[in-house]
């Protein structure tokens, strides 16, 4: 998959000092970046783990339900198992869109400012 990002620059960048990293980490801008990440990643992670555990619990304790044929040789267990893969890919796609739209611009602004500071 091609990206719109330019290739990495071959020029040397100034490395920020420990104090600069600490100052940025304590800034409101960095807090907003962290909040944007956490408000997306944590709830989605909890939801996916709950969905996965539901599948495992149903597989262990609801065998008759999971063995219910939907059509042909496809039963509920197979359909829900395939749905696990589908949700994994959907979450990855959704996160990539979220990161490109909300996280990457904020992180790039912080990085550029830190590298340019004298």
């Amino acid at each position: 998959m091609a990206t719109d990002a330019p290739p990495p620059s071959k020029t040397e960048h100034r490395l920020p000092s420990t104090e600069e990293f600490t100052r940025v980490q304590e800034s409101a801008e960095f807090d907003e970046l962290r909040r944007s990440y956490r408000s997306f990643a944590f709830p989605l992670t909890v939801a996916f783990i709950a969905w996965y555990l539901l599948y495992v619990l149903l597989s262990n304790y609801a065998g008759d339900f999971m063995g219910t044929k939907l059509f042909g040789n496809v039963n509920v267990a197979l359909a829900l198992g395939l749905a696990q893969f589908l949700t994994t890919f959907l979450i990855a796609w959704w996160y990539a869109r979220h990161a490109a739209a909300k996280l990457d611009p904020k992180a790039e602004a912080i990085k550029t400012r830190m590298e340019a500071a004298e």
Side-chain angles (χ1 to χ4, degrees):
M1 178 172 139
T3 62
D4 294 332
S9 172
K10 301 260 188 225
T11 61
E12 289 293 321
H13 295 287
R14 183 188 75 79
L15 293 177
S17 68
T18 303
E19 292 79 21
E20 289 171 307
F21 275 112
T22 303
R23 194 172 33 247
V24 167
Q25 187 176 7
E26 294 169 350
S27 71
E29 186 179 28
F30 190 78
D31 277 346
E32 177 58 32
L33 174 61
R34 190 177 5 210
R35 191 173 15 266
S36 293
Y37 169 74
R38 288 179 177 169
S39 68
F40 184 88
F42 289 168
L44 213 52
T45 300
V46 169
F48 184 78
I49 289 172
W51 158 229
Y52 175 74
L53 289 176
L54 174 67
Y55 176 72
V56 170
L57 291 172
L58 286 172
S59 295
N60 282 321
Y61 300 110
D64 292 340
F65 170 70
M66 295 296 271
T68 304
K69 290 204 184 248
L70 297 175
F71 55 89
N73 287 329
V74 177
N75 61 16
V76 172
L78 179 61
L80 291 179
L82 292 174
Q84 289 285 319
F85 286 102
L86 178 63
T87 54
T88 300
F89 290 114
L90 287 175
I91 288 169
W93 169 79
W94 192 14
Y95 177 77
R97 285 180 41 118
H98 171 75
K102 303 252 166 80
L103 304 178
D104 293 348
K106 292 175 186 176
E108 186 62 34
I110 292 170
K111 176 181 175 249
T112 301
R113 198 167 35 262
M114 285 187 75
E115 288 176 347
E118 297 271 336

